[in-house]
Amino acid sequence: MEMRMMIFKSYEELSEAGATIIVDLLNQKPKAVFGLATGGTPVGIYEQLSKMYSEHKVSFKEATSFNLDEYVGIPQQHPESYYSYMQQHLFQHIDLPAEQAFIPNSNAEQLKEECERYDLLIQQNGQVDLQILGIGHNGHIGFNEPAQGLLSGTHIVELSDDTRRANARFFDTMDQVPKFAITMGVGTILKARQILLIVKGADKADIIERALTGPITTELPASLLQTHPHLTVLITEDAVTPATKERTRV
Ligand code: F6R
């Protein structure tokens, strides 16, 4: 495993470092293709990227992005759709052209065809240069939930109770939390040239230890990242157990 782990005292420092990695890549390769995540963890990175753009340190004009996932069953304009999230936290603040920013369309008439279309689009754009990932408390990446087997390409997934409970904080009632989503598969995720896994908070300490130091298993999808040739983990120190530190040799 070619893994680099960077430990930060604060979430602000982690976010700055994450944004700097992205900006450096873009300045070297303006046409870079990004895989983007939503959720709580990347918000700080997106804030930093917006700030760096406003300071003329970077342009996204020639870049392309593919989001990992989107809920099924809520309209695109719903405030909790990942489409709205991306507009709010990143896209409205930067110069990435809308036609180069892709998110699975979960309101397509034929969802299965939409999944195939999405995979094809990713392929047509070449390889994802840098994939941002968070990790769920159950070890999911994207919405690839723990299971006996995992799918490689983009597909429709039933969200686990764990995931729905974790995401309930963004909705008024549990009933409003979507039950299904479209997600990139683990095959697509692992094809990225570089993966930036971002982890914050003591509540992720146990799962990240198991993901990075335990056996590789589809029951803990993030453990598959151990097989990736270019994995960078940005993590706050409260999420690092002694075992994580010891066994990842930092
Ligand atoms: C988001 C995604 C999810 C989150 C994960 C962690 O697009 O695919 O896998 O990265 O649920 O979420 P947070 O950052 O809210 O803890």
Side-chain angles (χ1 to χ4, degrees):
M1 172 174 46
E2 195 52 55
M3 188 183 86
R4 187 160 65 120
M5 179 136 133
M6 297 166 72
I7 303 175
F8 299 92
K9 287 211 174 345
S10 71
Y11 175 58
E12 287 67 34
E13 288 168 88
L14 177 152
S15 300
E16 261 178 48
T20 303
I21 292 173
I22 292 166
V23 166
D24 287 350
L25 172 61
L26 261 174
N27 286 334
Q28 260 172 44
K29 186 174 181 183
K31 286 185 193 299
V33 179
F34 292 94
L36 300 179
T38 60
T41 319
V43 169
I45 292 185
Y46 296 152
E47 238 169 60
Q48 283 299 322
L49 287 176
S50 305
K51 181 163 165 271
M52 288 158 116
Y53 169 71
S54 73
E55 293 164 350
H56 308 288
K57 292 185 178 146
V58 66
S59 168
F60 299 80
K61 248 195 165 71
E62 294 181 72
T64 302
S65 71
F66 287 95
N67 264 79
L68 276 170
D69 39 22
E70 176 61 288
Y71 288 125
V72 171
I74 55 175
Q76 196 180 54
Q77 301 301 335
H78 187 288
E80 294 308 333
S81 73
Y82 287 167
Y83 173 86
S84 298
Y85 171 107
M86 289 311 299
Q87 303 302 323
Q88 184 197 338
H89 292 291
L90 186 64
F91 294 160
Q92 68 172 353
H93 309 291
I94 62 171
D95 63 345
L96 177 69
E99 62 278 13
Q100 286 155 223
F102 299 100
I103 301 181
N105 174 13
S106 60
N107 287 288
E109 291 218 341
Q110 302 293 335
L111 287 182
K112 204 164 173 287
E113 272 141 47
E114 169 61 13
C115 293
E116 285 161 16
R117 184 191 74 94
Y118 203 67
D119 277 337
L120 201 66
L121 265 172
I122 299 174
Q123 267 172 41
Q124 284 165 351
N125 277 276
Q127 210 176 352
V128 169
D129 291 291
L130 185 141
Q131 173 70 56
I132 300 175
L133 286 183
I135 180 172
H137 291 105
N138 62 0
H140 73 205
I141 48 176
F143 276 138
N144 295 279
E145 301 283 33
Q148 280 182 7
L150 292 173
L151 294 173
S152 176
T154 301
H155 59 282
I156 297 148
V157 65
E158 182 168 7
L159 300 176
S160 70
D161 288 345
D162 268 0
T163 298
R164 291 187 67 234
R165 267 195 298 274
N167 291 359
R169 66 191 195 273
F170 301 115
F171 293 84
D172 291 337
T173 65
M174 188 67 190
D175 274 356
Q176 291 174 11
V177 185
K179 296 191 169 71
F180 292 89
I182 293 188
T183 183
M184 272 187 203
V186 284
T188 312
I189 292 172
L190 290 171
K191 273 185 209 133
R193 277 203 175 87
Q194 180 180 359
I195 291 181
L196 202 60
L197 176 62
I198 48 175
V199 190
K200 103 172 141 89
D203 54 314
K204 296 276 175 75
D206 174 55
I207 194 68
I208 196 68
E209 176 187 317
R210 291 197 285 133
L212 297 180
T213 71
I216 296 170
T217 163
T218 58
E219 295 291 353
L220 201 171
S223 67
L224 291 157
L225 298 173
Q226 290 182 38
T227 66
H228 195 274
H230 192 172
L231 172 67
T232 304
V233 184
L234 305 186
I235 188 165
T236 56
E237 65 181 2
D238 54 352
V240 183
T241 62
T244 301
K245 204 165 182 170
E246 162 73 18
R247 282 185 251 154
T248 53
R249 283 194 217 98
V250 269

